[in-house]
Amino acid sequence: MRWAAWAGLLLALPVHAATDPLYPAAHCAAYWLAFDDYAQTSTFLDSDPSDRDRAAAFRAAAIRLNAGDAATVDATIACERPDMALMIEAAIYGDRISDRLQRRLLQTCNDFAAKQEETRDLH
C-alpha cells in the first residue's frame, strides 16, 4: 500500500502543479519544515537552522502569490508537512520511489526559488 501511495504522488506531480495555486511554494515550505522536524530527532541528519529560513522564505513567496492569504498557505503547509516527513524518512531508509520523489521536488523547489524575490538568495 505504501508503494502505491508514493507512486501515485510521484505520477501526480505534474497534474498537482497545474491544479494547485500554492504549488510549489507552500509545498517547498512544508518540505523544509519537515526536513528540520526529522533532523531534530534523527541520527541520520544534522539539524541546520537555515532549513527553517528556507521554509520561511518559501512560505513568504506562497503568501505573496496567494494574494496575502496566509491562513490558506499555513493550512496547506500543515497538511503537507507530515507526508513530507514520511517521504524524507522513507528516502533515508532506501526507498527508491521516495528518493526519486524527493529529488524531483527539490529540483522543482530550486527552479522555483531562482525566480522568486523571497527565495532567490537561498543557498
Side-chain angles (χ1 to χ4, degrees):
M1 174 114 163
R2 185 179 212 173
W3 287 94
W6 287 122
L9 282 173
L10 184 60
L11 294 172
L13 275 178
V15 173
H16 191 60
T19 60
D20 185 351
L22 297 177
Y23 183 85
H27 301 270
C28 296
Y31 174 85
W32 286 111
L33 287 172
F35 193 89
D36 182 66
D37 293 343
Y38 196 82
Q40 296 289 331
T41 61
S42 172
T43 58
F44 297 109
L45 297 175
D46 292 326
S47 183
D48 182 348
S50 67
D51 294 338
R52 287 205 166 269
D53 295 341
R54 282 185 191 88
F58 279 108
R59 178 183 177 271
I63 291 169
R64 177 179 53 81
L65 293 169
N66 198 41
D69 183 0
T72 300
V73 170
D74 290 339
T76 299
I77 291 170
C79 182
E80 295 291 326
R81 193 171 176 174
D83 291 338
M84 296 291 181
L86 287 173
M87 175 186 66
I88 292 163
E89 181 176 46
I92 288 171
Y93 282 103
D95 179 67
R96 290 187 312 211
I97 293 172
S98 297
D99 184 59
R100 184 173 168 200
L101 179 60
Q102 179 176 246
R103 288 175 191 270
R104 192 169 179 184
L105 176 64
L106 285 172
Q107 185 61 55
T108 298
C109 293
N110 286 337
D111 292 347
F112 175 82
K115 300 173 192 164
Q116 306 303 315
E117 61 190 69
E118 300 87 349
T119 54
R120 193 173 297 129
D121 295 327
L122 294 175
H123 297 90

